[in-house]
Amino acid sequence: MKDLSQYELWFVTGSQHLYGPEALAKVAENSKKVAAALDRSPLIPTVVRFKTVGETPEAIRSLCLEANGDASCIGLVIWCHTFSPAKMWIGGLSVLDKPILHLHTQFYRDLPWSSIDMDYMNLHQAAHGDREFGFLCTRMRLNRKVVVGHWEDTEVHERIGAWTRAARGWAALQGSKVCRIGDNMREVAVTEGDKVAAQSRFGYSTNGYGVGDLVERVNEQSEADVDALCDRYCDEYAVVDSLVKGGDRHESLRDGARIELGLRAFLEANDAAAFTTTFEDLHGLKQLPGLAVQRVMADGFGFGAEGDWKTAALVYLMKVMGDGLDGGTSFIEDYTYHLHPDGAKVLGSHMLEVCPSIAAAKPALEIHPLGIGGKEDPVRLVFDVAPGTGLNAVVVDLGSRFRLVVNDVDVVGPEEPLPLLPVARAVWNARPDFKTSAASWIHAGGSHHPVFSQGVTAEMMEDFATIAGVEMLHINERSSVSEVKKELRMNEVYYHANQGFSFAG
């Protein structure tokens, strides 16, 4: 994962020269206090730096151009402390390519009823200034988030924090690389897509590599490094006896360790943020990469199985967004159902590649046959996912545009132990209920390869969709199939009109 400590938000305040130097000095003083409070908030995971008070069109445009050229700036938090005539912002906002959060607040929480005078009124005009600024953003059709409330309120910090995580994810995605090792699983539709359109929309590139490029790195690994990694496995996991040193399957553990070392070397050499594999292209590998994928995903890399590059990029994005939060993020699959009349449940899993960041307890490191791929038995981490709230998300390529589908879920755990299912297991109830959720997901075109997270929230995903300019369908406790279908039909019209036409030739 990229170094996230480099990122910062720029706090920019709107005003004008009409109020005189004394008032402008007070605006700057108050703005610095607000920015400092946001910077101290544990709910906002990025540095918040007061940048300037925008007083003229020229200064605002210069500030926006500076933001564009500063890779550390992930977005602007804008507050119009006094009345800031919005035409001053047109030149700057026309060239700005960083996300915007509009903070509608005022410096003092309460009105000083007995002492309020016109000097106070003129200085504290966010009620006017922010509406003027909001009109211009709407007139210019600018995507942004609006947060309303006093700047010291916890809820305000939470909402700014959610947007900050989305903006940080967007920044990390720009220029990121997805390495597709092999192609996608043959004849599968959902793992295909338009890589050029994805790069234009989301900022990451996807390119193919032969599995031989990975095998070459695997074969370069030293015996000493393999030994050391096997020792780490024994420290971090509950390793079955057959895999420990002296066990009859220990050589398989060494093969898994060698694949992990080679995979890490391959990803580092290609400056990759995410990657895919496919069990239909394993020539030269002794095992289908299972443990290796699980462990590098835990370190922040994105992954998609069977060549699913869109999901790989989404895993990486959500890893960045959720960094530092309780609850992990992983590639997963809606594998099979429990359709009991008293309540249907989903068993989320995959044949190997589920990230241990979502494990409820120390995973077991085991080896079992795998009736797919035609290779030796792979080593893998086996665990259950802790109960709690979470979500599933997927990016859908509709041909003319992309759709983000998000479904809230409640992890409940298995009703009985699963001793014969040696993979990662997450059992959840989908909101609002199984039938509505599944029908809505299918109507939306959602794939069987979602990204599951117990840290990232639907608000963060909505904020990201706003920044990226893509549709988001949120399936939640208020959803119904009929309303979802209406929303999808209306979105078809809106996004078709909003994106306009393109002509070739």
Side-chain angles (χ1 to χ4, degrees), residues 276-438:
T276 70
T277 61
T278 173
F279 58 79
E280 290 182 320
D281 191 359
L282 298 173
H283 183 74
L285 293 174
K286 289 188 175 182
Q287 305 173 11
L288 175 62
L291 175 64
V293 171
Q294 291 178 292
R295 283 178 50 85
V296 299
M297 212 187 322
D299 287 340
F301 287 93
F303 172 76
E306 291 106 49
D308 192 347
W309 52 274
K310 297 185 295 298
T311 297
L314 187 60
V315 171
Y316 173 69
L317 167 70
M318 292 174 64
K319 288 279 190 183
V320 172
M321 290 168 63
D323 184 67
L325 294 174
D326 293 334
T329 295
S330 179
F331 166 86
I332 207 165
E333 185 167 275
D334 299 69
Y335 223 95
T336 191
Y337 299 140
H338 177 68
L339 298 179
H340 195 278
D342 293 340
K345 297 180 175 67
V346 178
L347 173 57
S349 185
H350 204 253
M351 56 188 180
L352 292 175
E353 310 98 334
V354 178
C355 180
S357 68
I358 63 174
K362 178 188 284 189
L365 205 171
E366 303 178 6
I367 182 169
H368 300 275
L370 184 69
I372 197 167
K375 293 293 179 176
E376 296 179 10
D377 298 344
V379 291
R380 81 289 296 273
L381 298 175
V382 178
F383 54 86
D384 289 314
V385 176
T389 59
L391 61 78
N392 286 318
V394 67
V395 170
V396 181
D397 186 341
L398 296 172
S400 60
R401 59 188 176 87
F402 294 94
R403 172 183 290 151
L404 177 63
V405 185
V406 175
N407 184 200
D408 297 336
V409 302
D410 296 290
V411 180
V412 294
E415 295 184 2
E416 300 178 23
L418 300 165
L420 302 181
L421 189 63
V423 290
R425 294 86 54 122
V427 179
W428 62 71
N429 292 323
R431 298 185 190 178
D433 57 73
F434 170 75
K435 291 182 179 180
T436 302
S437 165

Side-chain angles (χ1 to χ4, degrees), residues 103-120:
L103 176 60
H104 184 43
T105 189
Q106 65 182 30
F107 187 70
Y108 293 113
R109 188 191 68 180
D110 303 324
L111 284 176
W113 299 101
S114 62
S115 61
I116 189 170
D117 57 19
M118 286 309 299
D119 287 339
Y120 180 98

Side-chain angles (χ1 to χ4, degrees), residues 153 228 501:
D153 289 351
F501 300 91

Side-chain angles (χ1 to χ4, degrees), residues 124-152:
H124 302 284
Q125 286 195 68
H128 295 166
D130 280 333
R131 281 168 168 77
E132 167 78 354
F133 180 78
F135 160 76
L136 183 73
C137 290
T138 297
R139 174 66 187 268
M140 295 180 68
R141 310 296 195 267
L142 297 178
N143 293 333
R144 79 279 193 194
K145 182 171 187 173
V146 179
V147 175
V148 179
H150 192 257
W151 53 273
E152 291 180 308

Side-chain angles (χ1 to χ4, degrees), residues 199-257:
Q199 186 169 352
S200 299
R201 174 59 61 183
F202 298 113
Y204 66 85
S205 63
T206 302
N207 289 289
Y209 295 81
V211 70
D213 297 328
L214 172 59
V215 171
E216 182 179 0
R217 296 288 180 176
V218 171
N219 293 339
E220 291 173 351
Q221 304 309 309
S222 72
E223 298 302 312
D225 287 342
V226 171
D227 287 338
L229 185 53
C230 288
D231 290 341
R232 285 186 58 190
Y233 293 159
C234 292
D235 291 337
E236 296 178 20
Y237 309 118
V239 183
V240 296
D241 291 343
S242 63
L243 291 177
V244 300
K245 195 170 184 177
D248 61 352
R249 305 301 300 274
H250 180 63
E251 202 55 40
S252 294
L253 184 65
R254 291 177 55 80
D255 290 337

